[in-house]
Amino acid sequence: MKNLTLLTDLYQLTMMNGYLNEGIQDDIVVFDMFFRRNPSSGGYTIVCGIEQLVDYINGIHFNPEDIKYLRELGLFTPEFLDMLENFEFTGDIYAVEEGTFMFPGEPIIRVKAPLFQAQLIETTLLNIINFQSLIATKASRVCHAAQGDPVLEFGLRRAQGPDAGIYGSRAAIIGGCNGTSNVLAGKMFDVPVAGTHAHSWIQKFDSEYDAFMAYARSYPDKAMLLVDTYDVLSSGLPNAIKVFDEITKQGHKPMGIRIDSGDLAYLSRMSRLMLSQAGYSDISITASNDLDEYRVQELKNMGCDINSWGVGTKLITSSDCPSLGGVYKLCAASDGEKLVPKIKISEDPEKITNPGFKKVVRIFTGEGQAEADLIMLEDEEIDTKKPLTIFHPVYNWKKKTFTNYSVRELLKPLFVGGKCTYKKRRVMEIRDFVKSEMETLGAHYKRISSPETYKVDLSNKLWLLKRQMLHDSKGE
Amino acid sequence: MKNLTLLTDLYQLTMMNGYLNEGIQDDIVVFDMFFRRNPSSGGYTIVCGIEQLVDYINGIHFNPEDIKYLRELGLFTPEFLDMLENFEFTGDIYAVEEGTFMFPGEPIIRVKAPLFQAQLIETTLLNIINFQSLIATKASRVCHAAQGDPVLEFGLRRAQGPDAGIYGSRAAIIGGCNGTSNVLAGKMFDVPVAGTHAHSWIQKFDSEYDAFMAYARSYPDKAMLLVDTYDVLSSGLPNAIKVFDEITKQGHKPMGIRIDSGDLAYLSRMSRLMLSQAGYSDISITASNDLDEYRVQELKNMGCDINSWGVGTKLITSSDCPSLGGVYKLCAASDGEKLVPKIKISEDPEKITNPGFKKVVRIFTGEGQAEADLIMLEDEEIDTKKPLTIFHPVYNWKKKTFTNYSVRELLKPLFVGGKCTYKKRRVMEIRDFVKSEMETLGAHYKRISSPETYKVDLSNKLWLLKRQMLHDSKGE
């Protein structure tokens, strides 16, 4: 991974320099990272990119070239530049486990560190988590629409630069994709790679049949043939079937066809019919071409006969919603020895933050279904032997009482006193974790459109604190 | 730059292996990169990323670890892996000068190389050029809407990963932005960086006034104060003016204010009034918050009083159109010594390619305005002493004759016989080039919405060739 230390907004550095001038650089502060809306108006967000965040924090160091560049900007004091030269992260970072589904307003990462340090890392932390969470969530939605069919990530050529291709692939796999076309991602993350041939392969030969035969000579057991270069039903399918007959005679098993244009529902059904009539009823039909969760769902509803999906541009860019608006807000700051809650007021109630040093607890039914999350102050505990009543933070009369339930704290340490406590997991393990986590989330929260809103409530103590601070703030 | 050699779709490698098995790996082929639509339904696209493309090509090498990984996939022959080990690009790459505005269907990059090599580079070439061109174009549109006001790129935290932030900043500057908040981009590309403080700075102090004063102590000559943490008109402005009075007394010149929420048109006008009444009439008012070219244009139309724009998420992701659909299509292939034109047929006329080994010529009026582009076969010449008649490739009766005109060939060599001939330019030089180029493009092509369509015609010879190939292809 490249050194991302300078990958920050200039204002982080000008503020840090200012804090040093004011002598408050070592004040302990707490920042929460959270987002305000799920991508694509969906019902949940899968948090992704934790490992790259850890690598970034572990790798922070200003080298002499960086210092030289900053000095030349003429904005900073020599004392500040000296401090950067010896910069070391000494704080605590807690985060949800990579792959956890989360909801608007919940802290997903909590940074407690000297002001100087907490400020520096804001931009890159957001950059990494916002993007990978966006793509993992998109992939999860596409896979949900595909109802268990394999989904392959094919978007590298339209990704927003090399990293977007690489880390987008990683996030797509974590979100549920079965493989990627991206070879570098395959190598870096030990995930399955997939792909056969392009239209240019067909064009390079004298005929479609010759091209298919040539491909089958090289890959007799992986003959996935792209049948839409000329015409799917009058040319691609008849040629593919001739080739399948040849390789079957040679003792190989034909693998499938891919259709990359046209009416995918009609063409897939007709292709299935022709393949069945030719004796290839269990062959795979892969579809590609501008797919996303909406299109996959529509094709399923139209009765397509597709059993594998290649998804490109619209997945790797999350095209209908190309950013997750994760933010990083001050929620507490030291006043002497003690942490004092901080709140950000706004005209817009949605933009008012939750004050204080907090944690998030997930409440599960006796059957293990996630039913609600509760944001609490760090020192609060839940006694699961007693019933638990939660209430909506705005419409307080909306209450729910749990009797047979269990709870899980979601924020876990990544760094404690600057020491990294994070244990790397293989990407495919994180993918398995996502799969099992998603089974605890009800289907009504996973709908592609108009999902139910999952309950995220505040503990009574946090709710009272917030109300008090809002009332006290009146005027400013 | 990291080694991007494996940053390719798996099918490029499976095809290369297949070509080697068929003994056609050294056939010379020509691929064109072009796009079919301008981003955001705009009138033009600024080509960007050429330098990173050159760096990528120069850096291609498969290291032993890469070969080991590929061997383990079990898809490739030992001969193929040996060839990769000794891979060297020996072809020709021509491209338009970085920063040139281009139009749908025009070759912007032309690769002539052995099939084996031309295939490998497709994916990364598209990844790099698609993204940077997208963002340069978006930036150009935002700057156009800002009518000469400075525009600053602030999007790093919402960019699609680190590279998207870094190369997105580069592209934004090339497209016309005046600076970026991204410090690493500032250092890498020697471009202006900008930024002052965030809401968290204000929150960290006991009052907004204290926070402003503290900032002004550190940066008395760069006091750009963010005035919307509590309330712009009742708190932010009065406090900012008090601080401006202080620093003016100390002999410094106040710099400006920034408004990041609310009704930017109203708040900017009221702020201007209050600032003028306080004697600060020439101060800068920067606006930010979810801006793009449409919003900037709207604010201008509403009579806002803003003279500097901070543009974030919607620029760095090109949110209304987060991908440029650049493609890479085979247009010629060797048959013995001779290059034979190739065409890709499609049901959809828009997807039919232009065959042959081609070039692009821009036609300028006597006054130096770009009036039309002509796609021609490489061996065609224009005699500018004679009148030139061009015609629409579909509606052939639409003709135009030039008498007093000049022409410029747009494709220039980056690599010749594998040797790099590209000369690096500073990013700010490329930006200057874009600025002067854009002056040759009529205002009606630069409109944000519903721009005129710039003429891109085919030479008579190319048009006849294409027609012949289409007719010959009938049936397949």
Side-chain angles (χ1 to χ4, degrees), chain B residues 65-194:
Chain B
E65 237 190 22
D66 298 335
I67 301 289
K68 179 170 173 284
Y69 170 71
L70 295 176
R71 181 174 296 119
E72 287 166 3
L73 291 179
L75 291 166
F76 307 115
T77 65
E79 295 72 33
F80 173 73
L81 296 170
D82 284 351
M83 272 194 75
L84 291 189
E85 221 163 342
N86 301 305
F87 188 97
E88 211 182 319
F89 184 78
T90 62
D92 301 341
I93 303 181
Y94 279 61
V96 301
E97 197 163 337
E98 183 157 16
T100 305
F101 57 81
M102 295 295 284
F103 304 97
E106 297 182 331
I108 58 180
I109 300 174
R110 190 186 68 198
V111 176
K112 181 182 174 191
L115 180 54
F116 195 79
Q117 300 174 18
Q119 199 72 64
L120 177 71
I121 66 175
E122 172 179 8
T123 310
T124 299
L125 178 152
L126 291 175
N127 174 284
I128 291 171
I129 303 296
N130 276 335
F131 174 58
Q132 286 201 48
S133 301
L134 179 73
I135 303 303
T137 307
K138 190 70 172 174
S140 168
R141 290 167 56 80
V142 174
C143 292
H144 185 72
Q147 302 173 16
D149 294 343
V151 174
L152 303 169
E153 186 283 301
F154 281 174
L156 175 56
R157 63 191 59 197
R158 304 282 165 76
Q160 296 203 343
D163 280 350
I166 296 166
Y167 298 106
S169 276
R170 176 183 189 272
I173 300 275
I174 286 174
C177 287
N178 297 68
T180 174
S181 67
N182 183 334
V183 182
L184 184 54
K187 176 178 172 235
M188 285 174 67
F189 307 120
D190 191 18
V191 296
V193 287

Side-chain angles (χ1 to χ4, degrees), chain A residues 396-414:
Chain A
N396 307 148
W397 68 90
K398 292 194 179 184
K399 291 181 189 172
K400 188 171 173 80
T401 297
F402 295 91
T403 47
N404 175 22
Y405 67 101
S406 63
V407 296
R408 193 172 93 202
E409 287 201 18
L410 298 184
L411 294 175
K412 293 177 182 169
L414 298 180

